[in-house]
Amino acid sequence: MGKSMWKVPLSDLTFGPEEKEAALRVLDSGWLTMGEHTLEFERRLGEALGTPRTLAVTNCTVALHLAYAALGVGPGDEVICPSLTFVATANAALLTGATVVLADVLGEHDLSIDPEDIARKITPKTRAIAVVHYAGYPCDMDAIRAIAAERRVAIVEDVAHGPLARWRGQALGTLGDVGCFSFFSNKNLAVGEGGAITSKDDSLHSRMRLLRSHGMTTLTLDRHKGHAFTYDVVEAGMNYRIDELRSAIGVIQLERLPEGNRRRREITERYHTQLASIAGLQLPYKDFYARGAGESAHHIMPVLLPEGVQRQAVMERMKANGIQTSVHYPPIHQFSHHGASERVRRDGLDRTDAIAPRELTLPLYPRMRDGDVDLVCEALAASLR
Ligand SMILES: *Cc1c(COP(=O)(O)O)cnc(C)c1O
């Protein structure tokens, strides 16, 4: 990252003097833990997403854990989630004691969860469906919401890739019961470690607010302000709070987000145009906008290598050209733990097994120049010759 060995890194921050000034203001303020900046960050994020029920937390992994916990997911319950996601989507459910049922991807054109596979894998024990808006492109929320309503199961949206992306005009994270966001340093909105949760109704919102801070009825800030002298604990909660430094940086990053997402889309379109001529290379989501179903946040730039190509060798050649690439993701069912766990169901993942080994992620970040994109495309073409 930053000043690195790479000519074109996989991702990079969009930070300016404003982030530095915001951090310094917090250091000078004498208040570091969750306080006014956090309230402001939550309010502004909520406005951008169109929901007042927005809480900032430590990271997206704990947001997912809070979501499952608040929905009452526990031992004996099943949570359906894609195998092609970051492992936290599943781990947070496993930590509640639940069983995770892994679902397949749609296909080469769309690497998100297949609604038909969700319907196939629902049982009377299913408590929640966790969907991941891969690369920031919305899942088919019409189909998924219909299934969830019919079978009376909750929807958890993992929106780590999709802040401000939309499905039929509505922000991702506000279409299910709970939405979980990540502000990790390589995400579209970056504060280092950070996250947020949105919820559909007030009772989930207040439950998660309680669980975020030990199940305590008052905050340190309330006591500091003299609004409260003591507290009760009404549930066994955790400490999943964010702090003022990150919240203050988050407010600035949120202001940059619409422009950052716009530039990411421009870069993605340049990639799609330039890579179209490489034989056998598949470009997932190439026709996303033609469907008219929403807007992506373009978090990452995935391609599928031609069948039979050794991905590792391509990554080595790209590296020799100074270009960093990555993989999203090693499927969850192939990890040592999840491939052997009795609480992970791994049936019917044929498309994931066929597609995942071909996935290669190319560099994408708002400050990438058009020339950088061209460099990556030329290097990829040469690596495949
Ligand atoms: C980054 C990411 C997470 C985890 O986010 P953290 O904030 O690092 O905990 C979860 N799910 C997906 C899809 C991610 O990309």
Side-chain angles (χ1 to χ4, degrees):
M1 303 286 288
K3 318 291 161 267
S4 71
M5 59 182 276
W6 302 103
K7 217 186 293 173
V8 188
L10 186 69
S11 74
D12 201 2
L13 296 171
T14 314
F15 269 37
E18 293 83 357
E19 279 80 358
K20 201 185 240 176
E21 284 156 19
L24 288 175
R25 272 199 304 279
V26 172
L27 293 179
D28 288 340
S29 76
W31 190 262
L32 298 177
T33 61
M34 205 168 72
E36 300 296 342
H37 290 95
T38 303
L39 291 173
E40 184 189 0
F41 184 40
E42 289 175 341
R43 183 177 51 74
R44 293 214 192 175
L45 185 62
E47 278 167 13
L49 297 170
T51 171
R53 292 174 297 278
T54 303
L55 296 169
V57 292
T58 317
N59 57 53
C60 182
T61 304
V62 306
L64 288 159
H65 189 222
L66 272 184
Y68 296 133
L71 289 166
V73 173
D77 294 332
E78 293 174 0
V79 173
I80 297 177
C81 85
S83 187
L84 195 71
T85 177
F86 184 59
V87 70
T89 321
N91 280 356
L94 291 174
L95 284 172
T96 69
T99 292
V100 164
V101 179
L102 297 173
D104 215 352
V105 294
L106 267 167
E108 292 180 347
H109 63 295
D110 188 323
L111 306 181
S112 301
I113 195 165
D114 174 11
E116 281 180 21
D117 202 36
I118 295 176
R120 216 174 291 130
K121 287 173 177 169
I122 286 190
T123 75
K125 291 182 179 169
T126 307
R127 192 76 179 241
I129 303 165
V131 301
V132 179
H133 303 289
Y134 186 102
Y137 298 88
C139 296
D140 183 347
M141 293 309 288
D142 293 353
I144 292 163
R145 291 212 289 188
I147 294 166
E150 190 194 322
R151 306 296 297 261
R152 297 177 181 281
V153 299
I155 299 174
V156 173
E157 294 181 78
D158 180 335
V159 205
H161 295 188
L164 302 193
R166 290 175 183 278
W167 171 257
R168 305 204 190 288
Q170 202 176 326
L172 301 189
T174 66
L175 292 138
D177 294 78
V178 185
C180 303
F181 294 81
S182 174
F183 308 134
F184 182 63
S185 67
N186 66 10
K187 299 288 168 39
N188 292 28
L189 189 168
V191 305
E193 300 280 358
I197 321 175
T198 47
S199 35
K200 184 184 69 175
D201 60 44
D202 289 338
S203 76
L204 274 172
H205 180 68
S206 16
R207 180 107 197 271
M208 291 196 290
R209 184 199 291 283
L210 269 177
L211 291 174
R212 173 177 67 172
S213 198
H214 312 285
M216 284 161 59
T217 51
T218 66
L219 300 175
T220 312
L221 183 69
D222 300 324
R223 294 190 293 280
H224 178 74
K225 286 182 165 177
H227 296 161
F229 294 105
T230 181
Y231 55 84
D232 189 17
V233 174
V234 293
E235 211 173 334
M238 292 294 300
N239 174 359
Y240 284 169
R241 295 183 304 255
I242 198 167
D243 60 54
E244 289 291 272
L245 269 168
R246 290 155 213 234
S247 295
I249 293 171
V251 169
I252 310 291
Q253 282 279 289
L254 181 61
E255 286 171 6
R256 298 194 199 280
L257 189 56
E259 169 57 20
N261 285 359
R262 188 201 62 75
R263 176 63 186 149
R264 285 172 183 274
R265 176 172 175 178
E266 208 169 69
I267 293 169
T268 300
E269 283 167 357
R270 190 173 184 91
Y271 267 127
H272 284 169
T273 306
Q274 303 219 5
L275 296 175
S277 57
I278 301 185
L281 190 77
Q282 305 268 341
L283 304 173
Y285 305 103
K286 189 168 196 302
D287 300 321
F288 169 75
Y289 285 99
R291 281 162 49 204
E295 268 170 66
S296 174
H298 302 281
H299 172 53
I300 52 172
M301 175 61 213
V303 301
L304 301 181
L305 297 175
E307 277 171 70
V309 167
Q310 289 295 312
R311 177 171 62 189
Q312 179 77 25
V314 174
M315 294 178 81
E316 295 283 0
R317 282 177 219 140
M318 297 295 278
K319 181 180 169 187
N321 282 298
I323 294 163
Q324 188 184 13
T325 57
S326 180
V327 167
H328 290 84
Y329 290 93
I332 290 177
H333 65 282
Q334 290 171 12
F335 290 128
S336 310
H337 174 77
H338 305 79
S341 168
E342 280 172 12
R343 283 200 288 120
V344 178
R345 301 261 165 75
R346 309 175 277 273
D347 310 319
L349 299 168
D350 299 347
R351 269 174 269 153
T352 303
D353 284 331
I355 290 171
R358 296 173 51 205
E359 196 279 336
L360 180 74
T361 305
L362 304 178
L364 176 57
Y365 49 92
R367 286 190 178 158
M368 206 176 165
R369 293 159 302 185
D370 287 353
D372 297 328
V373 178
D374 302 350
L375 216 60
V376 175
C377 294
E378 283 157 27
L380 182 60
S383 301
L384 290 171
R385 276 200 285 270

